[in-house]
Amino acid sequence: MNTNSQVSRWKPWIAGATDALSLMGGYVSVAVSFGVIALQSGFSVWETIAISVFIYAGASQFLFVAMVASGAPIWLVVVMTLLINARHVVYGPNIAPYLTNSRWWIPLLHGLTDQIFALAHTRLPQLSPSERIGWYSGAALLAWFSWIGGTALGAVAGGELINQWPLLGEVLPFALPALFLVLLAPKFNSLAWTISLVGTSLTALILKFSGYPNAAIPLAALCGTLLYYGVRTTPISKEQNHG
């Protein structure tokens, strides 16, 4: 009976980790890229790994490293990092109702990433309340450890890999944009999303090449948001939605 009880207890954890396996390819490749870039920006191996352990925020980590390396003031680094992670203000309340029956739900939200949110938002409603915290823990921890492991690999062996295969150094920086492009691609099926995403990209590029790289991300995001809601209110968009 004890053996069966233990197996039943760990079953949701195993199911969550299994569901999150599909994320590992993207996580590890992007994390390796981050490890290499952080090391090239002057961070030590342990500092690089610590960033992935404690910040664990994907795009924010790249921005954090780039801004610190460029000598940006700490207050601006903090503000920009918080702005990029502002989406978690939406993510958290949508996931919390499924996890609040556990005292561990607040620290476990450290593992809430874009991909885990998308996965959890689909799977958690399908599970019984007793299975949800285990499933989420298994999925989030696997993703977190794969990100930390990829960062460590990039920080420790990335330099040697690039020395042997120089082309790898040119390809790795595109791992993060490629991951987000895969997430965004399905959204190009509507007029509102297409216009807002194209407008966001163009705004970011214009600001970047105009000499305002630090302002490019938040202002482009704001522009995209305004475009989306602006287009959604047009008669053409309303006709598409009803159709």
Side-chain angles (χ1 to χ4, degrees):
M1 290 295 292
N2 288 337
T3 301
N4 291 336
S5 177
Q6 288 179 351
V7 171
S8 178
R9 177 185 175 186
W10 289 104
K11 190 175 179 180
W13 289 68
I14 295 170
T18 301
D19 288 342
L21 277 174
S22 59
L23 303 177
M24 286 190 65
Y27 269 53
V28 172
S29 60
V30 176
V32 169
S33 175
F34 171 74
V36 173
I37 290 172
L39 208 66
Q40 292 176 339
S41 299
F43 289 83
S44 69
V45 171
W46 290 112
E47 288 171 339
T48 300
I49 296 173
I51 292 171
S52 281
V53 170
F54 296 108
I55 297 180
Y56 185 43
S60 297
Q61 293 183 211
F62 285 84
L63 181 67
F64 175 86
V65 165
M67 292 185 71
V68 171
S70 66
I74 293 299
W75 69 266
L76 183 59
V77 175
V78 172
V79 169
M80 293 297 296
T81 302
L82 290 174
L83 279 174
I84 293 179
N85 287 318
R87 64 192 184 279
H88 285 79
V89 175
V90 177
Y91 289 174
N94 278 277
I95 294 297
Y98 299 108
L99 306 177
T100 47
N101 61 340
S102 170
R103 61 179 178 175
W104 298 107
W105 75 272
I106 292 179
L108 281 172
L109 287 181
H110 178 64
L112 186 61
T113 62
D114 299 327
Q115 296 80 8
I116 291 295
F117 172 77
L119 197 60
H121 202 257
T122 301
R123 291 286 287 122
L124 289 178
Q126 302 170 357
L127 302 172
S128 66
S130 61
E131 295 176 317
R132 288 169 180 166
I133 194 70
W135 181 93
Y136 178 85
S137 299
L141 287 173
L142 179 72
W144 188 38
F145 286 134
S146 67
W147 181 264
I148 295 170
T151 299
L153 178 62
V156 173
E160 183 62 30
L161 291 173
I162 290 176
N163 287 336
Q164 293 187 14
W165 295 287
L167 182 61
L168 192 61
E170 302 295 327
V171 172
L172 279 176
F174 291 95
L176 184 67
L179 178 60
F180 277 97
L181 183 60
V182 169
L183 293 173
L184 289 173
K187 293 294 186 180
F188 282 94
N189 62 352
S190 72
L191 178 65
W193 275 106
T194 300
I195 291 177
S196 61
L197 290 171
V198 171
T200 300
S201 302
L202 289 175
T203 302
L205 287 172
I206 291 170
L207 288 169
K208 167 69 175 177
F209 290 113
S210 297
Y212 301 100
N214 292 334
I217 293 176
L219 292 181
L222 178 61
C223 175
T225 302
L226 294 175
L227 281 172
Y228 178 79
Y229 285 104
V231 174
R232 290 272 293 183
T233 59
T234 61
I236 296 176
S237 181
K238 288 180 179 178
E239 289 176 9
Q240 283 189 344
N241 291 334
H242 288 303

